[in-house]
Amino acid sequence: MYRTTPDSRSTMPSGIPYIVGNEAAERYSFYGMKSILMVFLTTHVFMKMKVGDSSDFMSEAQAENLATQWIHFFGMWVYLLPIAGAILSDWLLGKYRTILWLSIVYCLGHLALAINETYWGMATGLALIAVGAGGIKPCVTAHVGDQFGPDNKHLLPRVFSWFYFSINLGAFTSTLLTPFILSATGERYGGAIAFGIPGVLMAIATFMFWLGRNEFVHIPPRGKQFWIGTFSADGRKAIASLIPVFLLISIFWSCFDQTASRWVSQATRMESNLWGFEILPSQMQAINPILVLLYIPLFTYVGYPLINRIFKLTPLRKMGCGFFLTAIAFSVSALIEMSLTLGYNTHVVWQVVPYIILTAAEIMISITALEFAYTQAPKSAKALVMSLNLGAVALGNLVTLIVNVFITHDDGTSILPGATYYFFFAGLVTYAGILFIGIAWDYRGKTYIEGEQDLS
């Protein structure tokens, strides 16, 4: 029989290494696949398709805009489906079985991408990955928190930092290697190898998670009590308090996730040779995870303690600062775009500057929101609340999708051309940051930890 309550221990739970290792491999698979989507969809799929009933193939501008829409539509579902995954987990299956079974669906999605690079093959693969990745997302983060009790709850911030570290270790490695693999093998093998390797890593992640089954605390599904507890007075109050926070955070994600679409497109038009080495546009995304790996200890052990001596950094204050850093990052991207429009040959290395600023915003918003969502949710509603946090990412991708649909003409031109596009999103996230200050000022919440008594 599996344990259903955390041990009375002040040290790190024994199941954490399996979860962190699983997360690193799973994130390698996801970000490796995602890192090449913009380029692959544009050049290998859409530019080989004809426009309507005509004999003309799609132009590069049309293909880029369609690829942008696909990526953000896919991103929307990846982060919307966690709501269904959370309900399935807490109501019927439990977190462990939900993660294990949907990981198999996830693997099938990678297989589809590797063996069929047609329009429908890509659509099928991305749909299966959205179901698998989306379904397990809220369960994995809530499963981490479930391993802790009152005696070691003080380790939660550290383990969530480790958790985020593993995400970015996998993301950095795959974002650096997968574009290179596609470039080296794409002429002969198409996407088979470049998409196949992330699929193998996902299979390893699934196996690693299964190996840890006897070390985990397995919180059983709650059946009908899930609905009663989730929508109890405490549950309704927590959800109602958090929804405005998540709605505004979605604007940050609307900007951030464009590093996989618009920022890649921008990089294709920049000088890419550095000291005799060719930097592929998709590889620029690797800057983000390597910066996260550097920033996590820097912020945790140096930055936050120093600031706290002068100004107490609550979770909401950290997130509020992140909005304005995002606006600065997109303003810098706008200046880069302006230089390209004027015909200056700037180098792709200039993109490092907005990445440095945007990653700092990510540290302050994303990691903080992860811990904040978990601790602010009653025990009966933790997976659902974690899914609502991920739903903010879905909403952000929907915002980007809608903007791109409405600003794009049939010939691929835009009503927000060049730098105007980036300034638009800089203004949008600034406005969201101002609203967030007001929400944070009025926020009233309560902290809930597994093993401690609450009214849910």
Side-chain angles (χ1 to χ4, degrees), residues 66-337:
L66 187 56
T68 298
Q69 292 172 30
W70 266 54
I71 287 170
H72 290 286
F73 185 72
F74 167 68
M76 179 188 74
W77 283 106
V78 166
Y79 292 97
L80 186 61
L81 286 170
I83 296 175
I87 293 173
L88 183 68
S89 164
D90 280 5
W91 179 28
L92 296 175
L93 297 180
K95 299 180 186 70
Y96 173 78
R97 286 189 294 172
T98 301
I99 294 169
L100 189 65
W101 293 358
L102 287 179
S103 291
I104 296 171
V105 175
Y106 200 151
C107 291
L108 293 175
H110 280 294
L111 178 63
L113 293 183
I115 65 175
N116 189 343
E117 62 185 55
T118 65
Y119 179 97
W120 289 109
M122 297 298 292
T124 300
L126 292 176
L128 289 171
I129 289 173
V131 171
I136 70 175
K137 274 181 177 296
C139 305
V140 172
T141 48
H143 188 57
V144 171
D146 287 346
Q147 308 308 304
F148 291 83
D151 295 330
N152 57 1
K153 67 179 182 180
H154 62 284
L155 296 174
L156 264 175
R158 183 182 301 177
V159 82
F160 274 119
S161 290
W162 287 2
F163 188 72
Y164 213 77
F165 188 93
S166 72
I167 289 173
N168 286 277
L169 179 62
F172 167 70
T173 308
S174 63
T175 305
L176 201 62
L177 293 180
T178 310
F180 173 77
I181 293 168
L182 178 64
S183 176
T185 64
E187 287 294 324
R188 183 172 181 181
Y189 297 103
I193 296 177
F195 285 121
I197 292 175
V200 172
L201 265 292
M202 186 58 218
I204 292 172
T206 305
F207 179 67
M208 190 175 299
F209 186 76
W210 177 80
L211 283 179
R213 65 195 182 281
N214 293 318
E215 303 297 327
F216 298 146
V217 174
H218 295 246
I219 304 298
R222 297 172 63 89
K224 67 179 182 180
Q225 288 300 316
F226 163 74
W227 300 102
I228 296 171
T230 298
F231 298 105
S232 66
D234 272 9
R236 293 196 306 270
K237 183 178 179 180
I239 292 171
S241 296
L242 287 168
I243 282 179
V245 174
F246 295 152
L247 286 175
L248 291 174
I249 287 175
S250 71
I251 304 302
F252 160 75
W253 288 113
S254 176
C255 296
F256 180 85
D257 275 1
Q258 293 188 62
T259 56
S261 56
R262 286 287 182 161
W263 284 26
V264 174
S265 178
Q266 184 184 74
T268 63
R269 292 177 281 113
M270 301 175 76
E271 172 61 40
S272 58
N273 189 283
L274 182 65
W275 302 319
F277 293 95
E278 187 74 14
I279 301 175
L280 300 174
S282 297
Q283 288 180 313
M284 291 302 294
Q285 297 170 79
I287 296 169
N288 170 253
I290 191 61
L291 283 173
V292 169
L293 297 178
L294 295 172
Y295 279 179
I296 286 176
L298 181 64
F299 276 57
T300 302
Y301 299 109
V302 181
Y304 290 155
L306 286 176
I307 296 173
N308 272 319
R309 293 179 182 177
I310 305 167
F311 177 76
K312 183 173 175 55
L313 272 179
T314 65
L316 289 170
R317 287 173 179 173
K318 289 179 187 176
M319 289 187 276
C321 293
F323 283 90
F324 299 102
L325 287 173
T326 305
I328 295 170
F330 260 69
S331 297
V332 175
S333 290
L335 295 177
I336 293 173
E337 191 68 26

Side-chain angles (χ1 to χ4, degrees), residues 411-424:
D411 62 358
T413 58
S414 173
I415 62 174
L416 291 175
T420 309
Y421 180 89
Y422 295 91
F423 279 130
F424 169 80

Side-chain angles (χ1 to χ4, degrees), residues 373-423:
Y374 182 81
T375 60
Q376 295 297 296
K379 290 184 293 186
S380 59
K382 286 197 183 295
L384 182 61
V385 168
M386 297 304 286
S387 73
L388 293 177
N389 178 42
L390 294 169
V393 189
L395 182 58
N397 277 273
L398 179 61
V399 169
T400 306
L401 174 64
I402 291 173
V403 169
N404 277 273
V405 167
F406 279 96
I407 68 171
T408 304
H409 297 130
D410 291 340
D411 62 358
T413 58
S414 173
I415 62 174
L416 291 175
T420 309
Y421 180 89
Y422 295 91
F423 279 130

